[in-house]
Amino acid sequence: MSVSAAEAAEYHSKDFDWETLRQEIETDPSLTYHLLPFVSPQPQQQVSKDPIKAWQSFHIQHSSGKFFKERRYLLKEFPELVSCGDDSKVLEVGCGNGSTALPILRGNDKIILYACDCSNETLQRAKEFVVASNVALVEHRFCPFYCDFATTGFPKWLACDYCRENFGEKNPNCISDVREERTLETDSLSMGERSSCIGGVDFITLIFTLSAVPFQIMPTALRECFSVLKPGGMLLFRDYGLYDMTMLRFEADQRVGFREYTRSDGTHSYFFCLDTVRNLFICAGFIELEIEYCCVKSVNRRNGKSMKRVWVHGKFQKPA
C-alpha cells in the first residue's frame, strides 16, 4: 500500500463507536464542565482578541509546513474531486498553508482551484508551498486570494449579484460591473477574471475552517458559501467532532460558548455534533447527502498513549 493510500485508510475509518465514547465522556465527573450550559461573562470580564490576528500569528509560528501535513486522504474521502469534469472550479475556504489545496491539484490536473484565507502571510506561504511541488500547470490552476468570508463575504468576481440571483440562466461570458481592489494575493488571477465574474464554483471545500468561526456567525458564513455555489454544486465538509480528544484537553476557563473554546494564542475552536451540522447546512439552503462521525484511534509515539480523534464528515448539495 502506498503512503497516500495508507494515510487515506487511517484518516477515514471507524476505529471505535462514537456512542460508546459519548457514554464514557458523559459519565466522567472530571469532564462535567464540558456538558454544562454556558453562562456568558459580563462585558467587563470579557477578553477581546482579534481572531484574524490570532490566526495570522498562528500560521507565522507554524510556517515551516511541518505542522500541517498534506491531506492526502481527501481524495479518498471526496472522490468527486477526482471524477469531476474538465475545468471544474473548486473554492477552498480557509486554505492555510495549502495542505488541502495541494492534494486536490495533484489528484486532478484539469481542476481550477480558488483558495482564500484571512491572512496575507499565510496565502504567500501557500503559494510558495504549492508552486514548489512541481504540480502540472499549477501556476494556471491555483488562484489564491485574500478574504475573510465569515464577516465580509466573498468578492463579486466569484459570483456577481446578477449570477447569484439568476444561476442557471447565466451567460457563460457574463461581464459584470466587478471592479474590486486587488492585493498581492490575487496576482495569480488573470486580468479577465479580475474585471468579470467567473460564474460561481462547482465545489467548495470547507476543511477544518468552520470550527474557527464563532458559532453565531456560522449561519451567515454558510449562506455566503451557498451564494457562490452553482446549482447542483457540492460543499465538502470535514471538521472537529464532539468529544474529540482536543476538546477534552480544554480547561473550564477556556470555554467561550457551548462547545466553543479559545486557545491561549487567541484562536477559536468549536466541536460539532451531527445534528448541529445538519441544522446549519439545511437552514442555509443545502441538501444533505452524507454526514457521519469519523472516529480514529492513534497512538502517541512519544508516550505510547492512545488518542481518540473525532471528526465530522459531510457532503451537501445546492439544489439544481
Side-chain angles (χ1 to χ4, degrees), residues 211-274:
S211 58
V213 175
F215 184 75
Q216 67 270 21
I217 302 177
M218 289 183 190
T220 300
L222 287 178
R223 285 195 297 270
E224 190 62 23
C225 289
F226 186 87
S227 73
V228 299
L229 194 60
K230 295 178 183 178
M234 292 178 62
L235 188 148
L236 309 174
F237 177 82
R238 186 180 178 94
D239 218 320
Y240 296 109
L242 185 61
Y243 303 142
D244 177 59
M245 172 197 73
T246 58
M247 172 182 174
L248 306 179
R249 287 179 172 177
F250 282 106
E251 301 293 338
D253 61 0
Q254 291 179 284
R255 297 180 78 205
V256 293
F258 185 55
R259 299 173 181 167
E260 283 187 278
Y261 304 83
T262 295
R263 303 178 183 86
S264 58
D265 60 7
T267 57
H268 182 277
S269 190
Y270 182 90
F271 295 83
F272 295 95
C273 70
L274 298 187

Side-chain angles (χ1 to χ4, degrees), residues 114-182:
Y114 298 87
C116 69
D117 203 278
C118 63
S119 166
N120 295 340
E121 295 82 0
T122 301
L123 285 164
Q124 184 59 39
R125 288 183 175 85
K127 188 173 181 179
E128 293 170 357
F129 180 51
V130 171
V131 170
S133 67
N134 295 319
V135 172
L137 301 174
V138 71
E139 65 274 13
H140 302 297
R141 300 192 294 119
F142 181 60
C143 310
F145 65 98
Y146 177 89
C147 179
D148 179 15
F149 84 112
T151 55
T152 61
F154 292 116
K156 288 186 177 181
W157 56 259
L158 271 177
C160 66
D161 291 340
Y162 175 82
C163 289
R164 294 182 193 215
E165 295 172 4
N166 300 279
F167 269 125
E169 302 175 12
K170 175 186 175 297
N171 183 320
N173 298 314
C174 169
I175 302 298
S176 68
D177 59 353
V178 177
R179 292 290 186 277
E180 296 180 287
E181 238 181 85
R182 290 287 173 241

Side-chain angles (χ1 to χ4, degrees), residues 10 23 28 50 74 116 128 186 197 206 209 242 251 256 269 273 278 282 285 290 298 306 318:
E10 176 187 357
Q23 293 171 16
D28 186 336
D50 186 332
L74 280 177
C116 69
E128 293 170 357
T186 57
C197 161
L206 203 57
T209 296
L242 185 61
E251 301 293 338
V256 293
S269 190
C273 70
R278 180 178 290 115
I282 290 177
E290 291 181 16
S298 58
S306 176
K318 183 171 183 175

